[in-house]
Amino acid sequence: MTRPVRPAHRIAIAPSGFKESLSAARVAEAIATGVRRVLPDADLDLIPLVDGGEGTAEALALAGGGRLVPCTATGPVGEPVASHFALLGGPGPLTAVVEMAAVAGLALVPPDRRHPGATTTYGVGELIRAALDTGARRILVGCGDSGTSDGGAGALRALGARLTDRHGRELRPGGGALHELERIDPSGLDPRLADAGLLVACNPYNVLCGKRGVARVFGPQKGATPAEVELLSAGLERLAAVLTRDVSPAFAPPPGAPAPDLRTAPGTGASGGLGAGLAAVGARLLPRYDVLLDGLDLDARLARADFVITAEGALDHQTVRGKIPAEVARRARAAGVPVLVLAGTIGPGAQDVRAVGVDAYSAILPAPMTLVEAIGRSGEFLADATERAIRIMALGTRLAPLEPLAA
């Protein structure tokens, strides 16, 4: 008598995108390719995830029956760039998604111009105004992958505010000028902001000021020298004080709700301080996964899996502070499902992910190579690394290609 066929292995593939390389959907597809080379009959559930950075508007538009709206706006170095925002489908007020990375992301800053003291979020404000022009009355701003550190000053200027120094002169763009800020005149702000629901999906671990302030944590990644980091930090401190004095009173929260501390409230440091700038004009700063994973039924899908594969471009000490692999691992651990992380690079502190539920992690690069080559071949390397990992797992657990068991 022939015994029944063994059920297919159920694998959830829930990665983030690889910055400047692959979208989350393409990462998931590459991982699936690698799995199928070893387990062709595996039951794969592809769940590409976004964190507010690159690809967020497109992913939410696809998930919500919406569409992308192409437009041109001011890029992070002050030059026009081709950008977009999304309009979502469904009932309720028209909702727009503004992805700050699509207009002020690090990928839009040429390597020889990566100077966060000069880059601007002006284009983010332009996209918000463009979304309001379509009739949107609920605007979700996705924060992540930014190339700026201006505290949202550029966005506020695009929305109609005037930022001046002690001589009454307009402040030059970028976070490097914020220490000269004397006054913000909010009288010219777009009046539609008062009636629009402005939501910011952000990493709550990121705060504007203090020892863990955004300039100190992320400034060096964006090209700031140690001296520039301190200048940016001082400027953001000054911005928080002036915003609190000149702007926030006009956008007071509902009675009984405390006004956020723009220096240290969770999420104020999102995208180089954009969170603080938008919070000053009434935006609600929300933990990004509470917003972005809504409707994906992620917990149930992870719980149905035998194991989970997630991925990100760089696995290091920052991963546990709100990155997608850590979020996936926490949720999978609650369901008792093991987790493998694949990463483009592995840096200091990567081992910390074990504490949040990651069972194993591995880099995808097969040999030393240039960044350009690594980015260009990342899909190939992901598929190959996945295949290697699955074969090792098959060896260690005596898994085999799924065939009828012997009688």
Side-chain angles (χ1 to χ4, degrees):
M1 180 178 177
T2 301
R3 292 168 60 186
V5 175
R6 189 184 307 164
H9 302 295
R10 295 166 300 183
I11 303 172
I13 300 174
S16 69
F18 279 26
K19 293 178 178 59
E20 303 182 61
S21 177
L22 297 175
S23 68
R26 290 184 62 196
V27 171
E29 291 164 2
I31 293 172
T33 296
V35 172
R36 290 192 177 106
R37 291 174 185 170
V38 187
L39 303 173
D41 298 322
D43 179 4
L44 304 184
D45 185 7
L46 275 61
I47 320 171
L49 300 176
V50 291
D51 61 3
E54 294 175 7
T56 293
E58 180 179 14
L60 295 186
L62 290 172
R67 61 187 177 90
L68 285 182
V69 179
C71 57
T72 299
T74 303
V77 297
E79 299 169 356
V81 297
S83 189
H84 59 262
F85 60 92
L87 292 175
L88 304 187
L94 182 61
T95 297
V97 179
V98 170
E99 174 192 317
M100 83 84 60
V103 71
L106 187 61
L108 297 174
V109 184
D112 61 348
R113 300 180 70 178
R114 292 193 171 175
H115 177 45
T119 50
T120 178
T121 54
Y122 194 91
V124 177
E126 291 179 316
L127 293 188
I128 291 173
R129 293 188 77 154
L132 289 170
D133 289 343
T134 69
R137 289 299 173 262
R138 183 173 181 266
I139 299 177
L140 173 62
V141 180
C143 288
D145 302 331
S146 73
T148 58
S149 192
D150 72 351
L156 293 177
R157 181 178 278 120
L159 290 167
R162 290 188 69 244
L163 285 73
T164 55
D165 63 17
R166 63 189 180 91
H167 301 293
R169 299 175 300 204
E170 289 276 353
L171 228 59
R172 65 184 185 277
L178 291 176
H179 67 285
E180 301 172 2
L181 178 63
E182 180 64 27
R183 184 171 182 269
I184 300 177
D185 178 1
S187 63
L189 282 167
D190 193 315
R192 295 173 296 180
L193 289 171
D195 298 321
L198 194 57
L199 310 176
V200 179
C202 55
N203 186 342
Y205 287 98
N206 293 343
V207 298
L208 188 69
C209 302
K211 292 182 179 179
R212 296 293 302 173
V214 66
R216 292 193 170 92
V217 174
F218 295 105
Q221 295 179 12
K222 299 174 183 179
T225 66
E228 288 168 340
V229 164
E230 294 309 310
L231 182 67
L232 290 171
S233 296
L236 293 174
E237 290 273 4
R238 180 61 184 162
L239 177 66
V242 179
L243 283 172
T244 300
R245 184 194 69 198
D246 293 351
V247 180
S248 294
F251 295 87
D261 180 344
L262 298 183
R263 295 183 65 258
T264 60
T268 51
S271 290
L274 176 65
L278 296 181
V281 294
R284 294 170 56 201
L285 306 184
L286 303 174
R288 55 187 173 181
Y289 298 122
D290 290 355
V291 180
L292 301 174
L293 303 185
D294 185 35
L296 288 179
D297 199 21
L298 180 61
D299 290 335
R301 293 167 74 176
L302 296 178
R304 287 194 293 267
D306 296 315
F307 66 95
V308 175
I309 303 175
T310 183
E312 73 169 330
L315 193 74
D316 56 28
H317 67 282
Q318 292 183 11
T319 301
V320 296
R321 297 179 61 83
K323 296 293 186 70
I324 281 175
E327 182 71 14
V328 169
R330 289 188 184 99
R331 292 168 181 252
R333 182 170 65 176
V337 181
V339 176
L340 166 69
V341 179
L342 299 173
T345 60
I346 294 176
Q351 69 276 2
D352 296 347
V353 298
R354 295 196 182 101
V356 297
V358 172
D359 295 278
Y361 57 84
S362 178
I364 69 171
L365 296 184
M369 65 187 64
T370 66
L371 178 61
V372 172
E373 182 180 5
I375 289 175
R377 301 177 64 188
S378 53
E380 170 193 343
F381 294 150
L382 260 171
D384 291 347
T386 303
E387 179 184 354
R388 291 194 298 270
I390 297 297
R391 290 194 183 281
I392 291 171
M393 291 173 63
L395 177 65
T397 61
R398 295 182 180 273
L399 288 174
L402 300 180
E403 297 174 353
L405 298 175

